Structures are given as structure tokens and as C-alpha cells.
Amino acid sequence: MSNNAFGIGQPVRRKEDFRLLTGAGHYTDDTQLPGQVYGYVVRSPHAHALLDAIDVSAAAVAPGVITVLTAADYDADGLGALPHVPNPAHITRPKTPAFENSDGSAVFHGPHFPLVRDKVRHLGEPVAFIVAETEAQAIDAADHVVVDYTPLDAVTDARRAVTENAPQLWDGAPGNVCFDSELGDREAVETAFAAADHTVKLDLSNNRVTAVSMEPRGAIGIYDAARDHYTLMAGSQGSHRIKDPLVALLGCDADQVRVVCEDVGGGFGMRNWLFPELALVVWAAKRIGQPVKWISTRSEAFLSDMQARDLATTAELALDKDGTFLAIRVDHLGNVGAHTMSFVPLANGVRLVTSIYDIPNAYVRVRGVLTNTLSTGPYRGAGRPEAMFNIERLIDEAAAATGLDRVDLRRRNLIPQDKLPYLNPVELTYECGAFVENMDASLALADWQGFVTRKASSEEQGLRRGIGVSNYVETPVGFPREVCDITIDPAGRVTVGVGTHSHGQGHETSFAQVIAEKLSVDFDRIDIVFGDTDIVPDGGGTHSNRSMRIAGTLMVQGCETIIEQGKGLAGDILEAADSDIDYRDGEFVVSRNGPRD
């Protein structure tokens, strides 16, 4: 039987919906283990302060309390800092794939420990971890932790943080700048601006946001002393994205750590990191010999989840008398927060500084700025929305300054198809695209020309109506590594292990459709497995639009390999050459042009 009705793009009933909509989903907080106890994080009420002393003696004897852990305990056990890789090998330039300082100095990357050692650098930073028999007892005990702070002046705004008299967060980052990098041809841009008939300049701000996922973050740490083995259960966007840094922090072998991620209520980029609390529950579980659970409250999430955006930009655009773009000049101040967790949004944004416009010259200066705020990182586009906002606002400003129609100004500067493949001035290649056609199609669907009539109708009713236009482009970034393991049992059931993770996208359905189409297998006989590092040996997780693009491609290749291997086996059974075997509707048969079957 052909399974095209269940194949790619077909409207099928989603596999996961019944389970999730009837309350049968299984999230981190749904797990209850024998002997499980509860952790609570004591957090700093200051955004910037010296931690002079901490006294946990009263909290340690509070009802139900098992232990109260501080940085001194953590150091005594010889554990490492959270092993963030803020400057990964994203392709900003061919020979320099990550940010570098223009003066040749080293990029600053400060150590980030799960518990504060000497200095608090943002509001809510963890200073102690209480473990008690119940969550309520752990919360109550927090009132008995006494911390002596020396408050310091704080700075939360990136523009102010780089001023001369701003409070300094780290000794190794003078001026609160962790990197200062340049891309493009500065001299060519200056020449273009000097010759331009029109120039426009804007100071722009992309405000800070946070994910506010439906399911607050949580974690359960388990330690098996007999095997010297750790298990972390935590909602994430990829179990291996959590396991690898956890192994490094613990200083153990990879086979001593298992990470399990079950159902996840929203990720948006924020859940791709090893947060302090995830390390704390695993460490505490070993210390006390019992499973330790921590679940964030809604309010606590605002003090502990990675945040995003927070980009201050000065942008300039040069045009000739006809409105042709000549050059763009951009100065970014990216607020990376108190700890250098990720530069990815900044790296993505500079790649797209010209968007899909034919701008021959560009110069970008980008600085990562440390402030007394939570760290920022990838979220919902990871730098691409900021880049699009900046260029589109510049174009609207240019249209207003020159009197040119904003749509016509865009149309005459979009990259035409006859210039593809196109190398932009910061060395990003556009392989394909129908940019003019896409914009015109969108304008037609939105009835752009009919806006005047709609606006007049609204004004007759005392209402206001506005309209805007913006072009957008993504870049196919994301870790290239991925695993797809396809197993078919004798009964014909297909199990697919994959290193991505679903947090609302419906992978169990969409991946099964790929397998159903390529193998002609009954859609309901396909199981998609992910989220357990003991089952799937590796994986890059879900982020950067990579799941179907990379994992889906591997599934197609895996199915093709299975069919080719199957032809060899079928040829032996059917006494025919491999080349005479066809795979049709889930069965191997001798082709019509081959010997009779």
C-alpha cells in the first residue's frame, strides 16, 4: 500500500497531540522519584556587589533541611566553571570564523560559576543552594541564610557601560568591552559616503526580551554511587547540548553522564544552555546521595533564564541622486550581560547587515558589552530580526529624506536574480533568491494599493490605520553535527533515533511523514525517539531552523541506504541481480524488465 497520503506535506492527524492535549505529556516536574528531595536557589538582591561573607549555619538546621551549599563547597569538590563557548565557529568571515579584537588582543571570556564566589554581577545571581525534604522547607530556610554584601554601582545600559566613568564588572575587560571587532572595508565606505548625494543616520535600539516559555525551567539530578554515574533530567532543546558541557564541568568521562529530556513546553533558543541550576542539582545529588529536584517559579525565571536582543545601533546609509544604495556603516553595541554566555546573535546580525539589498560597500564595528544584567543569547532568530529592523528603518528614513516612494526605493535596490550567486560586502554568499518577485507578491496579497481606500474608511469612523513594508531573510546557521539512526524490526515497525528535540514543533509527526514517504511504511508504525543521550549517541539539538533541514536530510539519506541494502538481501532471496530489484509500496520486487519473480 502506498503511504503518500501520510507523506511529506500531507494533512495528517498529529501523533503527539492526543497525548499532550489529554494531559498525558511528561514534563520535568511530572517526574517523582523515590527519595526525591528539593532544591531552592538563594539569589542576590543586588545587581552589583562584593560578597563579603555568607553564614548558612541557621539555615542548615532549619526544619527539613538536608544541606546548604555555597561556592566554598563547590570549590572544595574541585568542580569547574560553566563551560560556555560564547564565540563559536560561525562563519562571519572565511579566515576568521569567530569574533576577534581589531587590535589583536584576546577576546575576554570571564569564568561563570554556578554559585557566586566573590562578586555578584547581576540581580538574582545564585549565592547558595538549599536542599530540603520538601520545597516549602527549602524556601523557608532561605530566610535564615545571612549574606554580607558591599553594594556597588551598577550599569544596565550598553551605551552607558562603555562611558569613561561607568562601573566596571570585570578586571579583564576594561571599559566593559569583551570584544571589539570590525568587518568590511572602512576606507571604501568612507569614500562612498563622501561622494553620496544623500545620507541618513539613525540611533536604533532593539529592546531586551526574555522567552517566558509555557513550562518554567526545571531539573532533577541523580547520582548512582555504585557506578559513579550522573543522570540529569531537564527540559532542553537537545540533550547533547546539555551533556557535553556538564561532562566538562564535572571533569568525568562522557559515559558517566546521561541527560534525559522528555516533553518540553517551549524553548525559543533559551533552553540550549547548561544553566547554573542544572549543574547544582547534579552536584547536590552526589553530595547527599538522593535525587534533587529544582523547578523555577514564574518570577524566578525573570532572574535566571537567558535573555535576548538588547542591541544599541548607530546606522548610516549612503545613496546617489537616483536612490541607489552606495554604502552602509553600522556601529553595534551588543549587551551580552554579566557573563559571556553567547555572542551568536551578534555574529548572525553582522552577516546580514545588508539584508537582501545590493549594497556594494559596508563597514561594521561590533562590540560586546558587559553589564549588570542577565546574559543574553539566541532567541527567536538570534540576531537576524535585529539586523532586519536596522536596515528597514534606514530605508524608510531614506525614503522620507529623499521623497522617494519607500516600495520603489526597496525594489530598485533588491539583489536581482542575474547577480546570483551574490557575495555581500561582509563575505556572506547568497546562492539563490527571488527577492523582487517575493516582495511584489507580498504587496499584492496585502492589497498595498488599496490601503488609501481602507485608510479613508477608517478615518471616517474616527480611527487611524497604518501600513508598513519590510523584507526579511534568514541564514542557515546551526551546528552541522547530527545523528539519525533508523531501525526496522522483523514485524515491520520503524524506530528513528534523532539528536534534535521537539519543544512544540511536532517532530514526531513531521519526521514520521518523511519516513512514511521514503520507505512506504504505515505512518502509525513509525516511532520517533529523541532526548536521551543513552539512546541517541550524539546530536546538535533543535535551533537555527536546523531540525528538518539537517535531521530530515539524514532521514532521506538513511532511507535510501536501507533500500539499497535491502535490494541486495532481496536479490539473494528472489534469485535476481541487485539491479533488477525495485522497491515499490513497501516491498522489494523483481523489476518488470528483469527476470520473472
Side-chain angles (χ1 to χ4, degrees), residues 251-263:
C252 63
D253 295 333
D255 60 6
Q256 292 177 260
V257 175
R258 178 189 184 192
V259 175
V260 178
C261 307
E262 298 186 281
D263 289 323

Side-chain angles (χ1 to χ4, degrees), residues 469-493:
V469 60
S470 173
N471 286 298
Y472 191 93
V473 67
E474 282 278 5
T475 48
V477 299
F479 298 133
R481 75 178 193 192
E482 194 47 75
V483 165
C484 175
D485 182 75
I486 304 173
T487 303
I488 304 175
D489 69 19
R493 192 160 198 91

Side-chain angles (χ1 to χ4, degrees), residues 277-327:
E277 301 86 2
L278 276 61
L280 291 175
V281 295
V282 172
W283 170 51
K286 180 177 182 179
R287 272 237 166 187
I288 67 170
Q290 294 174 262
V292 178
K293 174 189 278 191
W294 167 82
I295 300 294
S296 172
T297 66
R298 291 289 179 188
S299 298
E300 191 177 15
F302 285 97
L303 302 177
S304 61
D305 290 353
M306 176 182 276
Q307 298 180 353
R309 310 283 193 242
D310 208 341
L311 178 68
T313 300
T314 298
E316 301 172 82
L317 184 65
L319 307 86
D320 70 10
K321 65 181 186 308
D322 297 320
T324 300
F325 299 160
L326 303 176

Side-chain angles (χ1 to χ4, degrees), residues 52-93:
D52 299 319
I54 181 167
D55 183 357
V56 301
S57 57
V61 296
V65 171
I66 299 168
T67 188
V68 183
L69 301 171
T70 67
D73 302 307
Y74 191 85
D75 291 345
D77 286 353
L79 302 181
L82 294 161
H84 304 309
V85 184
N87 206 12
H90 283 266
I91 307 170
T92 53
R93 287 172 285 180

Side-chain angles (χ1 to χ4, degrees), residues 574-576 580-581 584 587-592 594-597:
L574 298 174
E575 299 180 350
D580 291 329
I581 300 296
R584 295 196 298 264
E587 294 181 346
F588 290 99
V589 297
V590 178
S591 66
R592 294 183 177 88
R596 294 182 179 274
D597 52 348

Side-chain angles (χ1 to χ4, degrees), residues 47-48 121-122 152-163 165-169 175-176 208 335 337-338 369-373:
H48 201 195
R121 291 180 172 87
H122 69 79
L152 303 172
D153 289 339
V155 59
T156 59
D157 178 78
R159 285 193 171 101
R160 180 171 169 255
V162 298
T163 60
N165 297 316
Q168 298 296 295
L169 271 73
N176 294 317
R208 180 174 284 242
N335 191 339
V369 182
L370 294 154
T371 67
N372 296 113
T373 62

